[in-house]
Amino acid sequence: MALLPEDVVNKRFQQTKFREGYDQDEVDDFLDEIVVELRRLGAENDELRTKLEAAEARLEGGESAAPARPVSTPAPAVVDDSSATASANDLLTLARRLHEEHVREGVEKRDALIAEGHETATRLVAEAEATAKSQLSSLETEKSKLKSSIAELTGFEKEYREKLRGFISTQLSELDELDVAVNSAKN
């Protein structure tokens, strides 16, 4: 695979779940691709350097044997070793910069998620406390109403018992009087 600087710039890694950062295997695979491409470029650079040296040696040997004869073959393209090295260094610098950007973005996203989690937790706790206070107030009101009803029913019970006791006493008295009247009539 021919690795272009645009490939490095446009490479996106999937974010992992349950831990920070990117999928380590995916990053390692991509870095392996970069290493393979850099090795290929290094080997190609060495091969071109060898060809250049051979061509220069032939030119030197050919010029001393026939100096007046012009060479009709086009001059080989001279590969500047410093530009290939600079290109490789630029590629590595770009990869490092992208790595740092992704790490920074991951840290920012993590911090934003943590802050959002804290805000949500604070809001939920506040809502729960407000709901608890409201329910407690409602229960206190109901408790006072029930106490009032109990006091009222206790008073009603006392009054009813007294009336019942009085009624039963009156009935017993009337029965006793009736029993005395029936016994006196028989005698």
Side-chain angles (χ1 to χ4, degrees):
M1 168 187 140
L3 186 64
L4 302 174
E6 292 80 22
D7 295 333
V8 176
V9 171
N10 295 328
K11 180 65 178 177
R12 297 288 180 241
F13 298 101
Q14 294 180 3
Q15 292 188 352
T16 60
K17 296 179 181 172
F18 308 116
R19 63 183 166 114
E20 299 174 11
Y22 297 95
D23 183 8
Q24 189 172 0
D25 293 334
E26 188 177 349
V27 173
D28 288 342
D29 292 344
F30 187 66
L31 291 175
D32 290 342
E33 290 177 25
I34 291 173
V35 168
V36 168
E37 183 65 16
L38 290 175
R39 286 180 180 155
R40 186 190 66 76
L41 288 173
E44 183 179 326
N45 197 13
D46 291 341
E47 180 185 330
L48 290 173
R49 192 175 299 123
T50 304
K51 287 180 181 179
L52 177 63
E53 289 171 0
E56 287 176 347
R58 274 187 268 138
L59 281 178
E60 287 177 9
E63 287 178 359
S64 60
R69 190 171 139 210
V71 177
S72 63
T73 58
V78 177
V79 176
D80 187 7
D81 185 37
S82 64
S83 69
T85 304
S87 174
N89 286 337
D90 289 345
L91 186 61
L92 285 174
T93 302
L94 180 61
R96 283 188 189 117
R97 185 176 55 83
L98 285 173
H99 170 72
E100 290 169 0
E101 283 180 23
H102 288 301
V103 168
R104 187 182 70 249
E105 288 173 2
V107 168
E108 289 172 357
K109 192 168 193 176
R110 179 203 64 199
D111 292 344
L113 288 173
I114 288 172
E116 182 182 339
H118 285 300
E119 290 173 8
T120 302
T122 303
R123 180 179 48 83
L124 290 175
V125 168
E127 287 175 2
E129 288 174 348
T131 302
K133 284 181 182 178
S134 172
Q135 288 178 347
L136 189 59
S137 173
S138 173
L139 290 173
E140 286 293 330
T141 304
E142 190 175 336
K143 178 182 174 183
S144 66
K145 286 180 183 178
L146 288 173
K147 281 185 176 183
S148 173
S149 294
I150 289 172
E152 187 179 311
L153 287 172
T154 304
F156 176 76
E157 178 192 18
K158 284 182 183 179
E159 184 181 320
Y160 182 75
R161 283 179 186 251
E162 287 176 15
K163 286 182 181 180
L164 186 60
R165 202 174 278 136
F167 176 74
I168 291 175
S169 293
T170 305
Q171 290 295 321
L172 286 173
S173 296
E174 287 177 8
L175 274 175
D176 285 339
E177 288 174 13
L178 185 59
D179 190 33
V180 170
V182 168
N183 282 339
S184 355
K186 281 187 187 181
N187 290 340

